[in-house]
């Protein structure tokens, strides 16, 4: 039976090999410190954190995530260690919560390697704290126990580490925050609540829209997919399997009978009635047809919640993304448990001198290997079942996707017409895991873009048997494909594209954009062209920011282009002086909030002479690659996902046809 601890309560631990599971609902940093008999941490080498995740007997996550699994082997800890403190902290950065007040109560559980919970603790009553000691495992008379601590610190990691006696607390806190920032830069962010129509229309009101994007939408609350714990994955018919090993499911929407009553079968809403949203919840997804007995369930496109088919498809794709992440995590955890169990059984055999030789030892080893194979086979069977369900759902969802979500090979592009409003999201490629390479999940990002894009043409990708020249060409082709999709997604005259190609090396690849006449001007070349474009866009950001801060958004100059702006920079830093580099960093940091976005096509090594000066620039951009590469992470369990860039069908002219349609719509005023 699981011991549900309250603050200060302890519980004995049955073994030394444990797993600590953390669920916070939003990305948090998880770490651990080793303490002596007085709880003092002697140095940075006694702290496990994302920048240094492994210590003897201890391993923590390498990045901030909503869910964590920390591995602990108390028997492998040094003799001088008497206490292991499990730490949680909020990541530092734009858009991150500043205190645990903004999060649901974090849940921490100590489990055995078989997944059985030993003790759990829900950390309540957190307010202004941004770091907390969740649990501590401590040694008492050669026996280990767990204690629920829940000690929070408003001063964050620095204050918490200082309180544990670490002399280099401030320096280590900074190093942890830097490591977390690098991890978040490669993570696909959980989608924020969708802004209302009046906050995401033309960039004229970018000032007002910039502030409204960060607030809760009024009128149409579309719930973003949130991490869902300990629920089986969604079936295509909306039902859930009975197996408890399946990790996640889609959240269902139920209407409460009265304002104060909980939804049927759902959790109680403890929100004060005066603070509850007055708008109605989105309608439930359409009911899937009930299969006859003996017939397989039929997946349905758009079976998620949402106000429109577009929104339901968006939420469904994100649900598939999360389900694949969690079911794969369950499989990998089961395999790890099987490996650990076999290792323990083999160690037990080898520890008995009588069993090392002869038939008894051989039989014990064969038995351990047979148990291992059986456990792995069971886990693989459950995974294959879940993957088959998701593959069937993907086969139905993919043909139903609108142009902004669809692959370039989709027939929907042949009937493309300029849209009347901005879509909810945009497809930047596909994601897959090695357990099922053929199951690809569309990578959708919300519009307007909240981060710039970096198409990496670096030499680090040359392991794909592609030379550097070909990689640079593929990188520019990828940037053109993304720019074309953005132009096609926005209504007429609400999106403009500028290009800096200082050396003119990308002229052949940029030809589709140039010949179609969809660029705001000819590609800028030379140092003078670079300075002119950067100065113009920087001035635009300054003007809109001043208008917003002064509450005079209607006082912008009449000749100011109010459309969203995208700047494509090729072959950086060629043609850039120090002033231009500073302006580029400014656009990357301040531009997205006022409708100016950046797309870099660059090799980071080419800018190595700037050293750490450009580290914030690279972290501010979402890194994409022109060839498949496993560099992205999900926000739930942190799997390394392989990103597949958008690929045009061989010999297809669909890109030029779409750009011609965009140009024709501009000439005809949107018709």
């Amino acid at each position: 039976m699981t011991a549900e601890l309250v603050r200060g309560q302890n519980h004995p631990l049955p073994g030394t090999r444990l797993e600590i599971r953390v669920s916070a609902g939003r990305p948090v940093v998880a770490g651990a410190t080793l303490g002596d008999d007085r709880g003092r941490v002697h140095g940075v080498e006694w702290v496990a954190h994302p920048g240094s995740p492994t210590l003897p007997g201890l391993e923590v996550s390498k990045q901030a995530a909503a869910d964590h699994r920390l591995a602990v082997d108390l028997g492998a800890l040094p003799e001088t260690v008497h206490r292991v403190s499990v730490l949680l902290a909020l990541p530092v950065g734009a858009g991150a919560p500043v205190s645990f007040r903004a999060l649901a109560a974090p849940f921490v559980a100590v489990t055995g390697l078989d997944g059985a919970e030993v003790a759990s603790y829900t950390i309540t009553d957190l307010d202004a704290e941004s770091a907390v000691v969740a649990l501590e495992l401590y040694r008492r008379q050669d026996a280990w126990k767990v204690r629920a601590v829940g000690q929070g610190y408003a001063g964050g990691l620095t204050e918490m580490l200082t309180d544990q006696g670490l002399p280099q607390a401030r320096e280590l806190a900074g190093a942890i925050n830097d490591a977390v920032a690098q991890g978040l830069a490669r993570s696909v962010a959980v989608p924020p609540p969708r802004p209302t129509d009046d906050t995401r229309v033309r960039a004229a009101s970018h000032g007002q829209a910039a502030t409204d994007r960060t607030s809760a939408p009024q009128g149409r609350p579309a719930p973003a997919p949130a991490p869902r714990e300990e629920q089986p994955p969604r079936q295509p018919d909306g039902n859930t399997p009975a197996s408890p090993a399946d990790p996640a499911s889609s959240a269902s929407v139920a209407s409460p009978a009265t304002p104060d009553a909980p939804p049927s079968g759902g959790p109680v809403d403890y929100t004060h009635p005066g603070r509850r949203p007055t708008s109605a919840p989105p309608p439930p997804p359409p009911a899937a047809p009930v299969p006859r007995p003996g017939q397989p369930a039929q997946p349905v496109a758009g079976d998620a919640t949402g106000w429109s088919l577009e929104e339901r498809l968006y939420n469904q794709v994100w649900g598939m993304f999360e389900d694949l992440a969690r079911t794969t995590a369950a499989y990998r955890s089961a395999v790890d448990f099987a490996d650990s169990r076999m290792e323990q059984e083999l160690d037990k055999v080898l520890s008995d001198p009588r069993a090392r030789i002869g038939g008894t030892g051989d039989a014990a080893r064969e038995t351990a290997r047979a148990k291992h194979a059986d456990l792995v086979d069971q886990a693989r069977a459950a995974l294959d079942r879940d993957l088959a369900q998701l593959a069937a759902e993907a086969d139905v969802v993919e043909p139903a996707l609108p142009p902004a979500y669809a692959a370039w090979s989709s027939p929907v592009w042949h009937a493309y017409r300029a849209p009347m409003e901005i879509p909810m999201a945009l497809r930047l490629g596909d994601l897959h895991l090695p357990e099922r390479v053929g199951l690809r999940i569309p990578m959708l990002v919300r519009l307007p873009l909240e981060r710039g894009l970096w198409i990496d043409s670096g030499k680090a990708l040359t392991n794909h048997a592609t030379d550097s020249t070909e990689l640079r060409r593929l990188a520019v082709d990828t940037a053109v494909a993304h720019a074309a999709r953005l132009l096609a997604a926005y209504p007429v005259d609400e999106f403009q594209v500028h290009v800096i190609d200082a050396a003119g090396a990308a002229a052949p690849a940029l030809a589709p954009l140039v010949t179609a006449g969809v660029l705001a001007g000819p590609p800028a070349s030379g140092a003078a062209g670079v300075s002119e474009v950067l100065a113009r866009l920087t001035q635009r950001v300054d003007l809109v920011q001043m208008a917003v801060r002064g509450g005079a958004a209607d006082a912008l100059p009449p000749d100011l282009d109010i459309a969203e702006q995208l700047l494509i920079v090729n072959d950086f830093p060629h043609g850039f002086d120090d002033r231009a580099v500073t302006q580029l960093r400014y656009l990357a940091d301040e531009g997205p909030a006022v409708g100016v976005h950046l797309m870099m096509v660059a090799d980071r090594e080419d800018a190595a002479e700037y050293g750490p000066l450009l580290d914030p620039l690279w972290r501010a951009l979402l890194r994409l690659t022109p060839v498949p590469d496993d560099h992205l992470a999900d926000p739930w369990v942190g799997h390394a996902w392989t990103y597949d860039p958008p690929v045009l069908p061989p010999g297809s002219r669909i890109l030029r046809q779409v750009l011609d349609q965009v140009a024709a719509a501009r000439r005809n005023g949107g018709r």
Side-chain angles (χ1 to χ4, degrees), residues 512-531:
L513 297 174
V514 175
T515 57
V518 294
L519 295 179
S525 60
V530 171
S531 299

Side-chain angles (χ1 to χ4, degrees), residues 626-645:
V627 291
D629 189 67
D630 59 346
H631 67 281
L632 291 174
D634 64 79
W636 300 288
V637 291
H639 291 316
W641 291 74
T642 297
Y643 166 76
D644 294 296

Side-chain angles (χ1 to χ4, degrees), residues 372-428:
H372 174 271
D374 183 57
L375 288 173
V376 172
D377 289 344
Q378 291 182 39
R380 185 71 210 193
L383 175 68
D384 289 342
R385 183 193 65 236
D386 295 341
L387 293 180
Q389 295 167 2
L390 288 170
E393 188 173 9
D395 290 342
V396 172
V397 169
E398 185 69 44
L401 296 177
Y405 301 178
W408 285 112
S409 58
S410 173
V412 72
W413 285 107
H414 294 282
Y416 168 78
R417 293 294 181 270
M420 300 301 294
E421 62 178 18
I422 305 172
M424 188 174 184
L426 190 81
R427 185 172 186 161
L428 292 182

Side-chain angles (χ1 to χ4, degrees), residues 135-509:
L135 298 173
E136 65 179 16
L137 313 178
Y138 63 98
R139 194 200 313 252
R140 183 65 54 84
Q141 297 178 350
D142 294 330
W144 285 90
K145 295 183 178 183
V146 56
R147 177 186 290 121
V149 180
Q151 175 63 53
Y153 296 87
L157 279 169
T158 300
E159 182 181 355
M160 179 168 58
L161 295 172
T162 301
D163 190 50
Q164 296 191 19
L166 183 64
Q168 308 93 339
R170 184 176 299 277
E171 293 80 1
L172 180 58
I176 294 174
N177 289 330
D178 288 343
V180 171
Q182 293 177 12
L184 288 176
R186 60 185 286 270
S187 176
V188 181
V190 174
R194 184 183 185 184
T196 55
D197 291 340
D198 58 337
T199 62
R200 63 185 184 88
V201 290
R202 314 172 56 121
S205 312
H206 276 301
Q208 190 60 38
T211 56
D212 290 347
R213 284 179 200 143
T214 61
S215 61
Q218 302 172 3
R220 294 187 9 172
R228 300 178 288 248
E229 280 293 319
E230 303 301 331
Q231 298 177 7
R234 297 173 301 119
Q235 297 280 353
D237 63 349
N239 298 323
T240 54
S243 171
D246 299 333
S249 71
S250 288
S252 60
V253 176
S255 299
T258 66
D260 296 323
S264 175
V268 177
D269 184 2
Y270 292 100
T271 308
H272 189 281
R275 296 183 179 178
R276 293 177 188 166
T278 57
S279 55
V290 180
R292 295 178 181 177
Q295 288 184 336
Q298 297 297 320
V300 176
D303 73 342
T305 58
W307 290 97
S308 64
L309 178 60
E310 176 197 4
E311 191 167 1
R312 292 197 298 270
L313 287 169
Y314 171 80
N315 288 335
Q316 185 174 12
V317 169
W318 264 89
M320 293 164 59
F321 182 28
E322 181 175 352
D323 287 350
L324 181 54
R326 292 187 183 280
T327 194
T328 304
Y331 167 72
R332 293 179 180 178
S333 178
V335 172
D336 289 343
F337 167 69
D339 293 342
S340 176
R341 179 173 174 174
M342 182 177 68
E343 182 182 342
Q344 287 182 340
E345 292 178 351
L346 292 177
D347 288 344
K348 185 177 180 181
V349 171
L350 295 175
S351 65
D352 186 355
R354 295 171 298 180
R356 294 178 185 173
I357 58 176
T360 303
D362 293 339
R365 283 188 284 269
E366 288 300 322
T367 301
R369 294 189 180 100
K371 289 181 180 178
H372 174 271
D374 183 57
L375 288 173
V376 172
D377 289 344
Q378 291 182 39
R380 185 71 210 193
L383 175 68
D384 289 342
R385 183 193 65 236
D386 295 341
L387 293 180
Q389 295 167 2
L390 288 170
E393 188 173 9
D395 290 342
V396 172
V397 169
E398 185 69 44
L401 296 177
Y405 301 178
W408 285 112
S409 58
S410 173
V412 72
W413 285 107
H414 294 282
Y416 168 78
R417 293 294 181 270
M420 300 301 294
E421 62 178 18
I422 305 172
M424 188 174 184
L426 190 81
R427 185 172 186 161
L428 292 182
D430 296 323
L431 299 168
H432 73 263
L433 291 172
E435 281 75 7
R436 184 75 173 262
V437 175
L439 178 55
R440 285 170 162 77
I441 306 297
M443 179 181 170
L444 303 181
V445 297
R446 293 291 289 269
L447 291 179
L449 294 173
E450 296 185 349
R451 295 174 66 183
L453 305 177
W454 167 28
I455 316 300
D456 188 0
S457 60
K459 303 176 184 62
L461 299 171
T462 53
N463 58 350
H464 293 271
T466 305
D467 61 37
S468 58
T469 303
E470 179 68 7
L471 274 175
R472 292 178 186 273
R473 185 191 65 80
L474 290 174
V476 180
D477 288 343
T478 302
V480 170
H482 289 319
R485 187 179 286 267
L486 282 163
L487 285 164
Y490 275 78
V492 172
D493 294 331
E494 291 196 16
F495 196 84
Q496 298 290 345
V497 178
H498 310 260
V499 176
I500 290 179
D501 184 21

